[in-house]
Amino acid sequence: MTEATTIRPNNLLITAPKIHFQVAMPQPSSHLFEVNLQVSGWSKSVLDLKLPVWTPGSYLVREYAKNLQDFSVETGNTILPWRKLAKNHWQVGTNGVSEITIKYRIFANELSVRTNHLDSSHGYFNPAALCFYIPEFTEQPITITVITPQADWQIATPLPAVSGYENTFEASDFDTLVDSPFEIGKHEFYQFEVLGKSHELAIWGKGNAEATRMIEDTKKIIEVEAEIFGGLPYERYLFLLHLSPNVAGGLEHKYACSLIYPRFNFRKQDKYESFMQLVAHEFFHLWNVKRLRPKGLEKFDYDGENYTSSLWFCEGTTSYYDLQIPLRAGIYNAKTFLQNLSKEITLLQTKVGRKVQPVSESSFDAWIKLYRRDANSDNCQISYYLKGQLISFLLDLLIRERSGNERSLDDVMRYMWENFGKAEIGFTDEELQDAIELVAGKDLSDFFASYIDGVEELPFDEYLAPFGLKLQADIDADQPPYIGLKAKFQNGKQKIEFVEIESPAQLAGVSPDDELLAINGIRVNADQLNERLKDYQPGDTIQLSIFHQDELQTLPVTLAESQPNNYKIVAVEHPNQTQQENFAAWLGIPLAKLTN
């Protein structure tokens, strides 16, 4: 076990305490983790304890303290006084004692990669959502012992085990503890080796995932990403996979990643490929974000928001690579890659918010917008994942075209890794721009001002043209005239969920939360809306009946021309020799194959 150490802040000698967590789950069906925090060698008159309010990698204040209950403090058989100073801050009067035990329980019934879940089948926790930190001793080693409710439950975590102590693990500091999820139960467990490094896969839940296939494709992804960065910066890495009814997502860690995916989405090829993109995304983060971080995330403040304008690079560039990596690994082909890119472009081009919110602002405001969507979100904001991905795509094409495919965005990633990531030195927005300009051999001030700090439309055709490609906007032949609203059957009513700004519906006075009733006096529901609108032409005025705050209204709505609803990257009609050569050097196949 870790011994007490002496630290020397401001030339004062202070003996750091030993910090040990014990996590038990005697009644898993109660969803309550029982936690004992043992602090030994305490020498101050008060002990401050804080629970993080967020988890690095998920940029939202989640208020983990809301799940804490039954807090108490004792030394031996003596109860110690305590008080709460803030939502996540407890202070204990230690009265000169050195051995302190804090007891509390954490309710855990949210199955996600960023929180905690405990039931009769398993226990999963992120230490940020479970473990206190002592503000002045965050760099102190911490041990954690897990007491399983059944002898056959096993433990998967990236933390190293402490020799000689059952189910006990050590983190070098609080940041490392937070970065180390725990899966406890009867999960399937696999071990495999890639490039001389140990890898593990733990799968909890029932479904149609084929571990053998998944592991083989994961090996390919690891090899491709390691080649980009020149090796693997670890000796051991853990993949945790939860099979859920209908949730997909992931959370990156330095030595692990937590993945969650619909349990029966592994047989169909496109769903399986989406899962491998998720694997590629979270694994890429072990470089980009976990070690290569913006200045605003260099040192984590667990009490509140940590701001950066560069999440478009942290998450968006990673999203671009999660499309590329399966292509390079041979999991899907160039056609599928371009089809996937086309889907992302369609998502961007059909969001009005792209014209309102710069992606740098989207990055900065992640804490209050991206994860807190409302009825107006699509009108006023854009995801830094989505737009950052497509900005990265354009930058990759720009670098390739200017260098004759001798350089690419890979060279930016390598430069940033060598100069910031390896030493974990936070980079500024200016240093990131300098790195991209260095690799591109071009001043990109206008690019950044227009597309990252501004809201000008991304010039896809300009950057696609050197590769013999263009963007084609399609309108389905049977698409109805444009009205600009979305409706859904909800709680027994046909509720209008979204009204696009400056659309015919919005100009007529329709609002989100209105109840859809009828068109021209005949009842209509959400599922029928588009079919009913096909009976009309652009320029026709319909009478739309709604309940607005329980008041019956009939509004004249003049329908407009249908809007493009699908964007595709396609080959230009007569590509020249240079375009064909550029395309082949980029994607490894002749351009002519796109039309075959």
Side-chain angles (χ1 to χ4, degrees):
M1 300 286 281
T2 302
E3 298 296 328
T5 59
T6 300
I7 60 177
R8 194 185 295 266
N10 300 322
N11 296 319
L12 295 176
L13 290 174
I14 298 177
T15 300
K18 290 166 54 178
I19 302 170
H20 178 71
F21 287 92
Q22 176 184 284
V23 181
M25 52 213 86
Q27 295 181 321
S29 59
S30 72
H31 311 296
L32 288 168
F33 283 107
E34 298 193 354
V35 185
N36 285 5
L37 167 56
Q38 298 164 336
V39 181
S40 303
W42 187 253
S43 58
K44 298 179 127 186
S45 59
V46 295
L47 170 62
D48 287 293
L49 300 165
K50 290 188 173 184
L51 196 68
V53 302
W54 71 290
T55 296
S58 182
Y59 306 101
L60 177 68
V61 171
R62 297 186 184 274
E63 310 293 18
Y64 293 128
K66 68 185 178 184
N67 294 317
L68 188 146
Q69 65 187 63
D70 305 320
F71 183 92
S72 66
V73 191
E74 62 186 45
T75 179
N77 295 321
T78 303
I79 303 297
L80 292 179
W82 59 273
R83 59 178 179 159
K84 199 169 182 181
L85 301 182
K87 62 185 180 182
N88 67 323
H89 184 182
W90 286 253
Q91 188 177 76
V92 179
T94 57
N95 299 324
V97 302
S98 62
E99 305 296 314
I100 304 161
T101 300
I102 299 97
K103 297 181 178 181
Y104 57 97
R105 298 201 285 180
I106 295 286
F107 184 72
N109 195 31
E110 181 181 347
L111 182 57
S112 80
V113 295
R114 65 191 71 86
T115 51
N116 307 322
H117 189 252
L118 175 63
D119 63 15
S120 57
S121 68
H122 84 139
Y124 171 79
F125 67 85
N126 282 284
L130 190 91
C131 295
F132 280 115
Y133 67 95
I134 304 172
E136 59 264 62
F137 294 111
T138 55
E139 297 182 5
Q140 172 71 7
I142 300 164
T143 53
I144 182 167
T145 298
V146 176
I147 300 177
T148 60
Q150 299 175 28
D152 58 349
W153 279 31
Q154 56 187 340
I155 301 167
T157 179
L159 287 179
V162 177
S163 178
Y165 293 86
E166 186 178 10
N167 293 343
T168 299
F169 307 87
E170 183 173 66
S172 57
D173 51 36
F174 188 74
D175 285 343
T176 303
L177 179 65
V178 164
D179 208 26
S180 305
F182 281 74
E183 172 63 32
I184 307 135
K186 299 179 183 179
H187 46 264
E188 298 176 31
F189 188 76
Y190 306 89
Q191 291 180 293
F192 57 98
E193 187 175 294
V194 184
L195 301 176
K197 304 294 178 73
S198 175
H199 297 78
E200 298 163 359
L201 169 64
I203 304 176
W204 168 80
K206 297 179 180 178
N208 60 6
E210 298 178 17
T212 300
R213 180 189 185 192
M214 186 187 303
I215 289 171
E216 288 307 306
D217 284 338
T218 298
K219 287 180 178 180
K220 298 173 186 175
I221 285 171
I222 293 170
E223 290 171 349
V224 169
E225 296 192 16
E227 184 178 2
I228 293 172
F229 290 98
L232 297 171
Y234 57 77
E235 293 301 320
R236 172 175 165 255
Y237 190 90
L238 170 65
F239 295 90
L240 291 177
L241 172 59
H242 290 159
L243 303 183
S244 77
N246 54 17
V247 178
L251 185 65
E252 68 274 7
H253 300 282
K254 248 185 176 180
Y255 301 100
C257 63
S258 290
L259 310 168
I260 188 167
Y261 204 69
R263 64 178 81 249
F264 293 117
N265 276 19
F266 295 89
R267 184 173 294 115
K268 195 174 178 182
Q269 183 64 20
D270 63 333
K271 301 295 185 184
Y272 175 77
E273 289 171 354
S274 293
F275 173 72
M276 296 315 301
Q277 285 179 232
L278 176 62
V279 172
H281 184 103
E282 302 306 333
F283 192 73
F284 197 86
H285 270 320
L286 76 88
W287 290 278
N288 193 23
V289 169
K290 294 315 300 181
R291 293 167 173 85
L292 173 59
R293 300 196 295 272
K295 204 73 175 176
L297 300 176
E298 185 176 6
K299 298 289 184 183
F300 296 124
D301 175 3
Y302 295 106
D303 270 355
E305 295 88 343
N306 293 219
Y307 292 103
T308 175
S309 299
S310 294
L311 289 182
W312 71 267
F313 176 76
C314 301
E315 292 290 355
T317 300
T318 300
S319 294
Y320 175 53
Y321 274 96
D322 79 38
L323 295 179
Q324 280 200 69
I325 300 302
L327 168 66
R328 299 188 194 184
I331 295 170
Y332 53 59
N333 60 27
K335 279 187 178 181
T336 300
F337 168 68
L338 291 176
Q339 288 167 0
N340 289 339
L341 265 174
S342 298
K343 291 175 184 176
E344 301 301 318
I345 293 172
T346 298
L347 285 175
L348 178 72
Q349 296 303 112
T350 53
K351 294 285 189 298
V352 181
R354 77 186 189 280
K355 302 177 182 178
V356 177
Q357 186 184 46
V359 73
S360 56
E361 180 186 294
S362 173
S363 300
F364 195 87
D365 282 348
W367 301 91
I368 58 173
K369 290 195 174 181
L370 184 70
Y371 297 100
R372 289 178 170 166
R373 291 181 55 78
D374 58 34
N376 194 47
S377 292
D378 284 347
N379 282 328
C380 68
Q381 60 178 273
I382 197 67
S383 165
Y384 51 80
Y385 284 85
L386 176 61
K387 190 170 183 182
Q389 175 186 53
L390 296 172
I391 287 170
S392 301
F393 169 50
L394 296 188
L395 287 171
D396 191 22
L397 294 185
L398 181 152
I399 294 168
R400 289 176 180 276
E401 192 271 333
R402 285 183 58 83
S403 67
N405 276 298
E406 292 296 319
R407 295 191 302 276
S408 70
L409 197 61
D410 288 5
D411 295 281
V412 174
M413 301 310 303
R414 280 190 281 268
Y415 178 90
M416 294 296 291
W417 172 245
E418 291 295 331
N419 288 276
F420 298 97
K422 281 187 175 180
E424 298 193 42
I425 301 169
F427 61 84
T428 65
D429 293 347
E430 294 75 19
E431 287 168 330
L432 174 59
Q433 182 174 336
D434 288 346
I436 298 171
E437 289 178 341
L438 178 67
V439 174
K442 177 181 174 63
D443 185 328
L444 295 173
S445 298
D446 289 344
F447 184 100
F448 273 71
S450 298
Y451 312 126
I452 294 173
D453 297 322
V455 292
E456 290 188 29
E457 293 280 26
L458 297 186
F460 291 106
D461 282 343
E462 176 185 341
Y463 288 82
L464 287 168
F467 297 84
L469 301 170
K470 65 178 181 179
L471 190 63
Q472 178 176 294
D474 291 336
I475 298 175
D476 292 343
D478 65 343
Q479 191 171 337
Y482 173 58
I483 189 171
L485 69 80
K486 294 178 182 177
K488 183 179 181 181
F489 182 72
Q490 188 177 29
N491 298 325
K493 298 179 179 180
Q494 308 293 332
K495 299 290 287 188
I496 295 173
E497 290 187 302
F498 172 68
V499 180
E500 188 168 311
I501 195 75
E502 298 183 356
S503 67
Q506 187 261 318
L507 294 173
V510 182
S511 299
D513 269 348
D514 288 348
E515 184 180 353
L516 178 65
L517 298 176
I519 292 177
N520 290 346
I522 299 177
R523 184 194 300 274
V524 64
N525 63 39
D527 291 338
Q528 298 168 337
L529 179 61
N530 281 343
E531 282 300 313
R532 288 284 298 279
L533 290 175
K534 291 176 185 177
D535 292 333
Y536 303 93
Q537 299 297 317
D540 288 350
T541 297
I542 63 171
Q543 301 299 314
L544 187 72
S545 297
I546 59 172
F547 275 130
H548 177 73
Q549 297 180 356
D550 291 338
E551 179 184 343
L552 178 63
Q553 296 182 356
T554 297
L555 305 173
V557 181
T558 301
L559 303 175
E561 294 286 346
S562 301
Q563 303 291 301
N565 65 341
N566 187 33
Y567 291 80
K568 292 188 294 187
I569 297 173
V570 298
V572 298
E573 291 182 5
H574 302 291
N576 60 37
Q577 186 66 27
T578 300
Q579 289 173 316
Q580 295 181 57
E581 290 173 356
N582 282 342
F583 181 88
W586 173 35
L587 293 182
I589 63 169
L591 181 55
K593 280 201 170 182
L594 282 189
T595 56
N596 292 344

